[in-house]
């Protein structure tokens, strides 16, 4: 029996399992500064917000897998010294799926938007991409599992296009500066980069529908993040770049129309050659 046949049909189950294992490893062995009560509080807020917004907007119920993924993502990336910031970010993230929509598709990756709004509105929120260290075995574990999830969601093209562009830009800078190539390896062996590549930018509900559009989108995020990091010296450049490029997705979808992605349980997963369709499903 091929390995894919024994995996869950809905890739969100794999994503939840991997993100939960990352969080357990971070809290248990890597010393993440995450109070034990914070992830459950974020999860509770996300699920309550999903339930309330579904009733308020009279949207069809879509379950709680996506709020769980958003909660795990925020628990992994958001750091705060105030108890209310995590729930606030979760409420913003989930609400945005119902409010910030174009042609039935939400604009922003919920975890990404929750992080950005929390960091913009309060000094009590920050992102800690270096918390994962530079362990080769750990990063290989992240990358292998992340690629499996992205492939299962038909979005490995986004992850690989982004990573390829990011490596090329970083290598060109190393060559231009005449810096030792070992510094390139150090810059690329960051857990935050792997998490962003395979669990954030590859979100199938907020990336363009057409494969060419997705590659353009991924390269744009890499280019803008490179400029923000090395031109303007912004911290968390990947997070800001994804938020700034995301509003271009409706334009890309209009220029390059293709089938809309659906999670299993609604309709079959649609591939790049399918006809365009518009969904009212929020998650």
């Amino acid at each position: 029996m091929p390995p894919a046949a024994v995996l869950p049909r809905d890739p969100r189950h794999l994503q939840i399992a991997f993100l939960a294992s990352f969080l357990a490893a971070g809290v248990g062995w890597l010393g993440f500064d995450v109070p034990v009560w914070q992830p459950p509080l974020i999860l509770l807020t996300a699920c309550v917000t999903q339930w309330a917004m579904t009733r308020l907007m009279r949207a069809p119920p879509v379950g709680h897998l996506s709020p769980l993924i958003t909660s795990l993502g925020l628990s992994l990336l958001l750091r705060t010294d105030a108890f209310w910031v995590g729930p606030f970010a979760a409420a913003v993230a989930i609400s945005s799926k119902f409010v910030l929509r174009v042609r039935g598709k939400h604009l922003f990756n919920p975890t990404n938007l929750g992080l950005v709004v929390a960091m913009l509105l309060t000094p009590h929120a920050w992102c800690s991409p270096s918390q994962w260290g530079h362990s080769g075995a750990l990063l290989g574990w992240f990358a292998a599992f992340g690629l499996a999830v992205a492939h299962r969601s038909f979005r490995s093209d986004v992850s690989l296009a982004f990573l390829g562009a990011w490596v090329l830009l970083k290598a060109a800078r190393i060559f231009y500066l005449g810096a030792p190539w070992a510094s390139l390896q150090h810059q690329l062996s960051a857990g935050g980069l792997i998490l962003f590549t395979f669990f954030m930018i590859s979100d199938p509900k907020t990336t363009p529908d057409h494969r060419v559009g997705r590659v353009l989108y991924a390269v744009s995020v890499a280019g803008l993040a490179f400029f923000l990091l090395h031109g303007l010296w912004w911290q968390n450049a990947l997070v800001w770049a994804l938020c700034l490029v995301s509003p271009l997705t409706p334009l890309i979808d209009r220029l390059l129309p293709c089938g809309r992605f659906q999670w299993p349980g609604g309709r079959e997963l649609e591939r790049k050659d399918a006809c365009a369709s518009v969904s009212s499903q929020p998650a």
Side-chain angles (χ1 to χ4, degrees):
M1 180 180 296
V6 302
L7 296 176
R9 182 166 173 267
D10 191 331
R12 289 176 296 182
H13 290 104
L14 285 177
Q15 190 169 359
I16 290 168
F18 296 155
L19 290 175
S21 68
F22 297 164
L23 183 60
V27 175
W29 291 282
L30 297 178
F32 284 10
D33 186 20
V34 180
V36 294
W37 49 265
Q38 184 169 291
L41 185 58
I42 291 176
L43 173 61
L44 177 62
T45 304
C47 290
V48 169
T49 304
Q50 173 96 0
W51 174 81
M53 292 301 294
T54 299
R55 294 179 64 86
L56 181 65
M57 305 296 289
R58 299 181 179 179
V62 292
H64 291 84
L65 292 180
S66 291
L68 180 52
I69 291 171
T70 299
S71 303
L72 290 169
L74 287 173
S75 298
L76 284 166
L77 294 171
L78 178 63
R79 296 293 171 266
T80 178
D81 55 2
F83 79 96
W84 56 269
V85 172
F88 169 73
V92 169
I94 300 302
S95 298
S96 72
K97 298 191 305 177
F98 294 84
V99 177
L100 303 177
R101 303 173 66 82
V102 175
R103 298 182 67 237
K105 183 175 181 177
H106 49 277
L107 275 180
F108 296 96
N109 174 288
T111 302
N112 177 252
L113 187 67
L115 277 173
V116 166
V117 172
M119 290 191 294
L120 279 175
L121 296 184
T122 170
H124 297 287
W126 64 93
C127 184
S128 182
S130 60
Q131 62 190 338
W132 304 93
H134 297 270
S135 167
L138 181 65
L139 298 180
W141 177 41
F142 286 3
F145 286 168
L147 186 59
V149 172
H151 177 72
R152 198 70 173 171
S153 304
F154 305 121
R155 289 300 185 268
S156 56
D157 48 10
V158 180
S159 297
L160 296 177
F162 165 77
L163 192 58
W166 188 249
V167 171
L168 286 175
L169 288 169
K170 285 286 192 177
R173 183 172 183 272
I174 293 291
F175 179 78
Y176 174 76
L177 296 176
W181 287 101
S183 62
L184 176 63
Q185 179 183 355
H186 180 77
Q187 292 177 40
L188 297 179
S189 59
L193 173 64
I194 301 299
L195 194 66
F196 178 86
T197 301
F198 295 108
F199 293 99
M200 186 175 284
I201 194 175
S202 58
D203 177 12
K205 297 293 284 186
T206 54
T207 49
D209 299 327
H210 198 285
R211 172 164 291 173
V212 174
R214 293 196 294 272
V215 172
L216 176 64
Y217 173 86
V219 172
S220 299
V221 172
L224 180 58
F226 184 84
F227 171 72
L228 295 177
L229 179 61
H230 297 294
L232 302 181
W233 305 105
W234 284 19
Q235 297 292 322
N236 304 310
L238 294 176
V239 173
W240 296 111
L242 178 61
C243 188
L244 291 172
V245 172
S246 291
L248 297 179
T249 297
L251 176 62
I252 297 174
D253 285 341
R254 183 170 289 276
L255 296 175
L256 298 168
C258 198
R260 182 69 53 83
F261 179 89
Q262 297 290 336
W263 295 116
R267 290 177 292 176
E268 293 291 327
L269 296 177
E270 296 179 70
R271 303 303 299 265
K272 62 184 179 66
D273 296 329
C275 297
S277 61
V278 177
S279 169
S280 60
Q281 194 176 21

